[in-house]
PDB file of all heavy atoms in Angstrom:
ATOM      1  N   LEU A 563       3.874 -81.523 -13.205  1.00 96.00           N
ATOM      2  CA  LEU A 563       2.948 -81.032 -14.176  1.00 96.00           C
ATOM      3  C   LEU A 563       2.522 -82.201 -15.118  1.00 96.00           C
ATOM      4  O   LEU A 563       1.375 -82.359 -15.445  1.00 96.00           O
ATOM      5  CB  LEU A 563       3.498 -79.830 -14.927  1.00 96.00           C
ATOM      6  CG  LEU A 563       2.642 -79.185 -16.022  1.00 96.00           C
ATOM      7  CD1 LEU A 563       1.245 -78.758 -15.526  1.00 96.00           C
ATOM      8  CD2 LEU A 563       3.289 -78.021 -16.682  1.00 96.00           C
ATOM      9  N   ALA A 566       0.198 -84.554 -13.404  1.00 97.00           N
ATOM     10  CA  ALA A 566      -1.161 -84.029 -13.335  1.00 97.00           C
ATOM     11  C   ALA A 566      -1.860 -84.238 -14.682  1.00 97.00           C
ATOM     12  O   ALA A 566      -3.047 -84.457 -14.754  1.00 97.00           O
ATOM     13  CB  ALA A 566      -1.145 -82.562 -12.900  1.00 97.00           C
ATOM     14  N   ILE A 567      -1.054 -84.020 -15.777  1.00 97.00           N
ATOM     15  CA  ILE A 567      -1.643 -84.212 -17.132  1.00 97.00           C
ATOM     16  C   ILE A 567      -1.928 -85.666 -17.377  1.00 97.00           C
ATOM     17  O   ILE A 567      -3.037 -86.080 -17.813  1.00 97.00           O
ATOM     18  CB  ILE A 567      -0.692 -83.626 -18.236  1.00 97.00           C
ATOM     19  CG1 ILE A 567      -0.614 -82.138 -18.081  1.00 97.00           C
ATOM     20  CG2 ILE A 567      -1.181 -83.968 -19.600  1.00 97.00           C
ATOM     21  CD1 ILE A 567       0.404 -81.427 -18.989  1.00 97.00           C
ATOM     22  N   LYS A 568      -0.942 -86.530 -16.963  1.00 96.00           N
ATOM     23  CA  LYS A 568      -1.170 -88.014 -17.134  1.00 96.00           C
ATOM     24  C   LYS A 568      -2.384 -88.468 -16.373  1.00 96.00           C
ATOM     25  O   LYS A 568      -3.172 -89.263 -16.875  1.00 96.00           O
ATOM     26  CB  LYS A 568       0.082 -88.750 -16.719  1.00 96.00           C
ATOM     27  CG  LYS A 568       1.240 -88.676 -17.686  1.00 96.00           C
ATOM     28  CD  LYS A 568       2.386 -89.517 -17.188  1.00 96.00           C
ATOM     29  CE  LYS A 568       3.673 -89.198 -17.881  1.00 96.00           C
ATOM     30  NZ  LYS A 568       4.885 -89.643 -17.101  1.00 96.00           N
ATOM     31  N   GLY A 570      -4.881 -86.883 -15.726  1.00 97.00           N
ATOM     32  CA  GLY A 570      -6.125 -86.284 -16.224  1.00 97.00           C
ATOM     33  C   GLY A 570      -6.689 -85.174 -15.403  1.00 97.00           C
ATOM     34  O   GLY A 570      -7.765 -84.594 -15.747  1.00 97.00           O
ATOM     35  N   LYS A 571      -5.986 -84.787 -14.295  1.00 97.00           N
ATOM     36  CA  LYS A 571      -6.525 -83.727 -13.522  1.00 97.00           C
ATOM     37  C   LYS A 571      -6.397 -82.428 -14.314  1.00 97.00           C
ATOM     38  O   LYS A 571      -7.317 -81.600 -14.312  1.00 97.00           O
ATOM     39  CB  LYS A 571      -5.669 -83.518 -12.208  1.00 97.00           C
ATOM     40  CG  LYS A 571      -5.954 -84.590 -11.218  1.00 97.00           C
ATOM     41  CD  LYS A 571      -5.088 -84.389  -9.967  1.00 97.00           C
ATOM     42  CE  LYS A 571      -5.286 -85.507  -8.972  1.00 97.00           C
ATOM     43  NZ  LYS A 571      -4.369 -85.477  -7.906  1.00 97.00           N
ATOM     44  N   ILE A 572      -5.268 -82.296 -15.001  1.00 98.00           N
ATOM     45  CA  ILE A 572      -5.169 -81.260 -15.977  1.00 98.00           C
ATOM     46  C   ILE A 572      -5.208 -81.971 -17.387  1.00 98.00           C
ATOM     47  O   ILE A 572      -4.445 -82.856 -17.643  1.00 98.00           O
ATOM     48  CB  ILE A 572      -3.801 -80.442 -15.903  1.00 98.00           C
ATOM     49  CG1 ILE A 572      -3.742 -79.716 -14.513  1.00 98.00           C
ATOM     50  CG2 ILE A 572      -3.647 -79.526 -17.006  1.00 98.00           C
ATOM     51  CD1 ILE A 572      -2.523 -78.927 -14.310  1.00 98.00           C
ATOM     52  N   ARG A 573      -6.207 -81.539 -18.178  1.00 98.00           N
ATOM     53  CA  ARG A 573      -6.364 -82.270 -19.488  1.00 98.00           C
ATOM     54  C   ARG A 573      -5.244 -81.866 -20.466  1.00 98.00           C
ATOM     55  O   ARG A 573      -4.867 -82.724 -21.321  1.00 98.00           O
ATOM     56  CB  ARG A 573      -7.721 -81.912 -20.172  1.00 98.00           C
ATOM     57  CG  ARG A 573      -8.936 -82.030 -19.172  1.00 98.00           C
ATOM     58  CD  ARG A 573      -9.118 -83.427 -18.673  1.00 98.00           C
ATOM     59  NE  ARG A 573      -9.337 -84.428 -19.691  1.00 98.00           N
ATOM     60  CZ  ARG A 573      -9.333 -85.755 -19.427  1.00 98.00           C
ATOM     61  NH1 ARG A 573      -9.137 -86.191 -18.180  1.00 98.00           N
ATOM     62  NH2 ARG A 573      -9.529 -86.608 -20.403  1.00 98.00           N
ATOM     63  N   GLY A 574      -4.755 -80.646 -20.355  1.00 98.00           N
ATOM     64  CA  GLY A 574      -3.749 -80.169 -21.257  1.00 98.00           C
ATOM     65  C   GLY A 574      -3.542 -78.698 -20.980  1.00 98.00           C
ATOM     66  O   GLY A 574      -4.014 -78.215 -19.969  1.00 98.00           O
ATOM     67  N   ALA A 575      -2.807 -78.045 -21.850  1.00 98.00           N
ATOM     68  CA  ALA A 575      -2.522 -76.637 -21.657  1.00 98.00           C
ATOM     69  C   ALA A 575      -2.742 -75.884 -22.940  1.00 98.00           C
ATOM     70  O   ALA A 575      -2.523 -76.400 -24.056  1.00 98.00           O
ATOM     71  CB  ALA A 575      -1.155 -76.412 -21.159  1.00 98.00           C
ATOM     72  N   ALA A 576      -3.116 -74.644 -22.866  1.00 98.00           N
ATOM     73  CA  ALA A 576      -3.310 -73.786 -24.010  1.00 98.00           C
ATOM     74  C   ALA A 576      -2.570 -72.459 -23.776  1.00 98.00           C
ATOM     75  O   ALA A 576      -2.620 -71.869 -22.754  1.00 98.00           O
ATOM     76  CB  ALA A 576      -4.770 -73.519 -24.315  1.00 98.00           C
ATOM     77  N   GLY A 577      -1.908 -71.998 -24.844  1.00 98.00           N
ATOM     78  CA  GLY A 577      -1.282 -70.686 -24.808  1.00 98.00           C
ATOM     79  C   GLY A 577      -2.227 -69.714 -25.555  1.00 98.00           C
ATOM     80  O   GLY A 577      -2.532 -69.895 -26.785  1.00 98.00           O
ATOM     81  N   LEU A 599     -11.915 -72.737 -21.209  1.00 98.00           N
ATOM     82  CA  LEU A 599     -10.778 -73.692 -21.096  1.00 98.00           C
ATOM     83  C   LEU A 599     -10.514 -74.038 -19.658  1.00 98.00           C
ATOM     84  O   LEU A 599     -10.431 -75.226 -19.291  1.00 98.00           O
ATOM     85  CB  LEU A 599      -9.516 -73.166 -21.811  1.00 98.00           C
ATOM     86  CG  LEU A 599      -9.667 -73.027 -23.346  1.00 98.00           C
ATOM     87  CD1 LEU A 599      -8.349 -72.609 -23.984  1.00 98.00           C
ATOM     88  CD2 LEU A 599     -10.185 -74.309 -24.001  1.00 98.00           C
ATOM     89  N   ASN A 602     -12.846 -76.326 -18.021  1.00 98.00           N
ATOM     90  CA  ASN A 602     -12.719 -77.685 -18.488  1.00 98.00           C
ATOM     91  C   ASN A 602     -11.345 -78.264 -18.199  1.00 98.00           C
ATOM     92  O   ASN A 602     -10.823 -79.114 -18.886  1.00 98.00           O
ATOM     93  CB  ASN A 602     -13.068 -77.812 -19.928  1.00 98.00           C
ATOM     94  CG  ASN A 602     -14.549 -77.623 -20.171  1.00 98.00           C
ATOM     95  OD1 ASN A 602     -15.301 -78.513 -19.851  1.00 98.00           O
ATOM     96  ND2 ASN A 602     -14.988 -76.448 -20.647  1.00 98.00           N
ATOM     97  N   ASP A 603     -10.685 -77.810 -17.112  1.00 98.00           N
ATOM     98  CA  ASP A 603      -9.429 -78.297 -16.641  1.00 98.00           C
ATOM     99  C   ASP A 603      -8.267 -78.191 -17.595  1.00 98.00           C
ATOM    100  O   ASP A 603      -7.380 -79.006 -17.659  1.00 98.00           O
ATOM    101  CB  ASP A 603      -9.582 -79.750 -16.232  1.00 98.00           C
ATOM    102  CG  ASP A 603     -10.332 -79.907 -14.925  1.00 98.00           C
ATOM    103  OD1 ASP A 603     -10.222 -79.006 -14.070  1.00 98.00           O
ATOM    104  OD2 ASP A 603     -11.081 -80.892 -14.770  1.00 98.00           O
ATOM    105  N   ILE A 604      -8.305 -77.150 -18.448  1.00 98.00           N
ATOM    106  CA  ILE A 604      -7.184 -76.890 -19.318  1.00 98.00           C
ATOM    107  C   ILE A 604      -6.417 -75.669 -18.746  1.00 98.00           C
ATOM    108  O   ILE A 604      -7.037 -74.610 -18.565  1.00 98.00           O
ATOM    109  CB  ILE A 604      -7.614 -76.622 -20.765  1.00 98.00           C
ATOM    110  CG1 ILE A 604      -8.239 -77.964 -21.322  1.00 98.00           C
ATOM    111  CG2 ILE A 604      -6.455 -76.107 -21.623  1.00 98.00           C
ATOM    112  CD1 ILE A 604      -9.032 -77.790 -22.675  1.00 98.00           C
ATOM    113  N   LEU A 605      -5.135 -75.875 -18.422  1.00 98.00           N
ATOM    114  CA  LEU A 605      -4.278 -74.825 -17.892  1.00 98.00           C
ATOM    115  C   LEU A 605      -4.045 -73.809 -18.993  1.00 98.00           C
ATOM    116  O   LEU A 605      -3.733 -74.140 -20.087  1.00 98.00           O
ATOM    117  CB  LEU A 605      -2.973 -75.371 -17.392  1.00 98.00           C
ATOM    118  CG  LEU A 605      -1.923 -74.368 -16.936  1.00 98.00           C
ATOM    119  CD1 LEU A 605      -2.325 -73.753 -15.569  1.00 98.00           C
ATOM    120  CD2 LEU A 605      -0.546 -75.041 -16.816  1.00 98.00           C
ATOM    121  N   VAL A 606      -4.213 -72.503 -18.637  1.00 98.00           N
ATOM    122  CA  VAL A 606      -3.969 -71.463 -19.689  1.00 98.00           C
ATOM    123  C   VAL A 606      -2.686 -70.680 -19.260  1.00 98.00           C
ATOM    124  O   VAL A 606      -2.545 -70.281 -18.136  1.00 98.00           O
ATOM    125  CB  VAL A 606      -5.195 -70.515 -19.774  1.00 98.00           C
ATOM    126  CG1 VAL A 606      -4.856 -69.259 -20.612  1.00 98.00           C
ATOM    127  CG2 VAL A 606      -6.380 -71.249 -20.410  1.00 98.00           C
ATOM    128  N   LEU A 634      -8.052 -78.931 -12.226  1.00 98.00           N
ATOM    129  CA  LEU A 634      -7.173 -77.797 -12.379  1.00 98.00           C
ATOM    130  C   LEU A 634      -7.181 -76.985 -11.004  1.00 98.00           C
ATOM    131  O   LEU A 634      -6.177 -76.482 -10.551  1.00 98.00           O
ATOM    132  CB  LEU A 634      -7.610 -76.915 -13.472  1.00 98.00           C
ATOM    133  CG  LEU A 634      -6.753 -75.690 -13.822  1.00 98.00           C
ATOM    134  CD1 LEU A 634      -5.369 -76.096 -14.204  1.00 98.00           C
ATOM    135  CD2 LEU A 634      -7.386 -74.808 -14.905  1.00 98.00           C
ATOM    136  N   LEU A 665       8.532 -80.314 -21.728  1.00 96.00           N
ATOM    137  CA  LEU A 665       7.544 -81.393 -21.503  1.00 96.00           C
ATOM    138  C   LEU A 665       7.701 -82.509 -22.455  1.00 96.00           C
ATOM    139  O   LEU A 665       7.689 -83.730 -22.148  1.00 96.00           O
ATOM    140  CB  LEU A 665       6.124 -80.857 -21.607  1.00 96.00           C
ATOM    141  CG  LEU A 665       5.680 -79.807 -20.561  1.00 96.00           C
ATOM    142  CD1 LEU A 665       4.266 -79.289 -20.863  1.00 96.00           C
ATOM    143  CD2 LEU A 665       5.688 -80.442 -19.146  1.00 96.00           C
ATOM    144  N   LEU A 676       1.852 -83.699 -27.831  1.00 98.00           N
ATOM    145  CA  LEU A 676       1.342 -83.259 -26.491  1.00 98.00           C
ATOM    146  C   LEU A 676      -0.027 -82.735 -26.550  1.00 98.00           C
ATOM    147  O   LEU A 676      -0.419 -82.233 -27.634  1.00 98.00           O
ATOM    148  CB  LEU A 676       2.306 -82.167 -25.948  1.00 98.00           C
ATOM    149  CG  LEU A 676       3.786 -82.588 -25.719  1.00 98.00           C
ATOM    150  CD1 LEU A 676       4.627 -81.427 -25.292  1.00 98.00           C
ATOM    151  CD2 LEU A 676       3.934 -83.707 -24.698  1.00 98.00           C
ATOM    152  N   PRO A 677      -0.783 -82.798 -25.445  1.00 98.00           N
ATOM    153  CA  PRO A 677      -2.105 -82.166 -25.432  1.00 98.00           C
ATOM    154  C   PRO A 677      -2.041 -80.650 -25.214  1.00 98.00           C
ATOM    155  O   PRO A 677      -2.377 -80.134 -24.119  1.00 98.00           O
ATOM    156  CB  PRO A 677      -2.760 -82.862 -24.221  1.00 98.00           C
ATOM    157  CG  PRO A 677      -1.688 -83.300 -23.333  1.00 98.00           C
ATOM    158  CD  PRO A 677      -0.516 -83.483 -24.163  1.00 98.00           C
ATOM    159  N   LEU A 678      -1.557 -79.988 -26.246  1.00 98.00           N
ATOM    160  CA  LEU A 678      -1.380 -78.513 -26.138  1.00 98.00           C
ATOM    161  C   LEU A 678      -2.057 -77.847 -27.304  1.00 98.00           C
ATOM    162  O   LEU A 678      -2.325 -78.466 -28.389  1.00 98.00           O
ATOM    163  CB  LEU A 678       0.149 -78.191 -26.359  1.00 98.00           C
ATOM    164  CG  LEU A 678       1.116 -78.729 -25.344  1.00 98.00           C
ATOM    165  CD1 LEU A 678       2.525 -78.301 -25.663  1.00 98.00           C
ATOM    166  CD2 LEU A 678       0.756 -78.290 -23.897  1.00 98.00           C
ATOM    167  N   ALA A 679      -2.408 -76.553 -27.170  1.00 98.00           N
ATOM    168  CA  ALA A 679      -2.979 -75.759 -28.252  1.00 98.00           C
ATOM    169  C   ALA A 679      -2.566 -74.339 -28.052  1.00 98.00           C
ATOM    170  O   ALA A 679      -2.198 -73.926 -26.961  1.00 98.00           O
ATOM    171  CB  ALA A 679      -4.483 -75.912 -28.249  1.00 98.00           C
ATOM    172  N   ILE A 747     -10.568 -76.426 -29.373  1.00 98.00           N
ATOM    173  CA  ILE A 747      -9.339 -76.692 -28.561  1.00 98.00           C
ATOM    174  C   ILE A 747      -9.566 -77.880 -27.658  1.00 98.00           C
ATOM    175  O   ILE A 747      -8.708 -78.740 -27.525  1.00 98.00           O
ATOM    176  CB  ILE A 747      -8.935 -75.372 -27.842  1.00 98.00           C
ATOM    177  CG1 ILE A 747      -8.307 -74.419 -28.844  1.00 98.00           C
ATOM    178  CG2 ILE A 747      -7.918 -75.698 -26.754  1.00 98.00           C
ATOM    179  CD1 ILE A 747      -7.972 -73.040 -28.265  1.00 98.00           C
ATOM    180  N   ILE A 751      -7.371 -81.287 -27.692  1.00 98.00           N
ATOM    181  CA  ILE A 751      -6.641 -81.802 -26.574  1.00 98.00           C
ATOM    182  C   ILE A 751      -7.049 -83.136 -26.117  1.00 98.00           C
ATOM    183  O   ILE A 751      -6.242 -84.047 -25.835  1.00 98.00           O
ATOM    184  CB  ILE A 751      -6.759 -80.775 -25.433  1.00 98.00           C
ATOM    185  CG1 ILE A 751      -5.786 -79.556 -25.714  1.00 98.00           C
ATOM    186  CG2 ILE A 751      -6.395 -81.361 -24.031  1.00 98.00           C
ATOM    187  CD1 ILE A 751      -5.786 -78.418 -24.685  1.00 98.00           C
ATOM    188  N   GLU A 752      -8.374 -83.422 -26.200  1.00 98.00           N
ATOM    189  CA  GLU A 752      -8.818 -84.794 -25.847  1.00 98.00           C
ATOM    190  C   GLU A 752      -8.325 -85.804 -26.841  1.00 98.00           C
ATOM    191  O   GLU A 752      -7.980 -86.895 -26.516  1.00 98.00           O
ATOM    192  CB  GLU A 752     -10.361 -84.846 -25.744  1.00 98.00           C
ATOM    193  CG  GLU A 752     -10.958 -83.998 -24.538  1.00 98.00           C
ATOM    194  CD  GLU A 752     -10.368 -84.429 -23.215  1.00 98.00           C
ATOM    195  OE1 GLU A 752     -10.096 -85.632 -23.031  1.00 98.00           O
ATOM    196  OE2 GLU A 752     -10.180 -83.546 -22.327  1.00 98.00           O
ATOM    197  N   ARG A 755      -4.751 -86.603 -26.181  1.00 98.00           N
ATOM    198  CA  ARG A 755      -4.651 -87.482 -25.027  1.00 98.00           C
ATOM    199  C   ARG A 755      -4.885 -88.919 -25.424  1.00 98.00           C
ATOM    200  O   ARG A 755      -4.193 -89.856 -25.027  1.00 98.00           O
ATOM    201  CB  ARG A 755      -5.641 -87.109 -23.930  1.00 98.00           C
ATOM    202  CG  ARG A 755      -5.426 -85.696 -23.305  1.00 98.00           C
ATOM    203  CD  ARG A 755      -6.406 -85.439 -22.190  1.00 98.00           C
ATOM    204  NE  ARG A 755      -6.231 -86.479 -21.115  1.00 98.00           N
ATOM    205  CZ  ARG A 755      -5.405 -86.349 -20.064  1.00 98.00           C
ATOM    206  NH1 ARG A 755      -4.719 -85.304 -19.896  1.00 98.00           N
ATOM    207  NH2 ARG A 755      -5.350 -87.318 -19.158  1.00 98.00           N
ATOM    208  N   LEU A 760      -3.302 -91.727 -22.917  1.00 93.00           N
ATOM    209  CA  LEU A 760      -3.372 -91.293 -21.572  1.00 93.00           C
ATOM    210  C   LEU A 760      -4.668 -91.726 -20.823  1.00 93.00           C
ATOM    211  O   LEU A 760      -4.676 -91.893 -19.681  1.00 93.00           O
ATOM    212  CB  LEU A 760      -3.274 -89.776 -21.478  1.00 93.00           C
ATOM    213  CG  LEU A 760      -1.899 -89.217 -21.802  1.00 93.00           C
ATOM    214  CD1 LEU A 760      -1.902 -87.696 -21.663  1.00 93.00           C
ATOM    215  CD2 LEU A 760      -0.834 -89.817 -20.823  1.00 93.00           C
TER     216      LEU A 760
END
Side-chain angles (χ1 to χ4, degrees):
L563 178 57
I567 293 174
K568 285 183 195 159
K571 285 181 185 171
I572 297 181
R573 309 303 297 171
L599 295 183
N602 287 288
D603 288 328
I604 293 167
L605 176 71
V606 169
L634 184 61
L665 293 176
L676 300 174
L678 301 179
I747 287 175
I751 283 178
E752 293 304 326
R755 294 183 62 88
L760 287 183

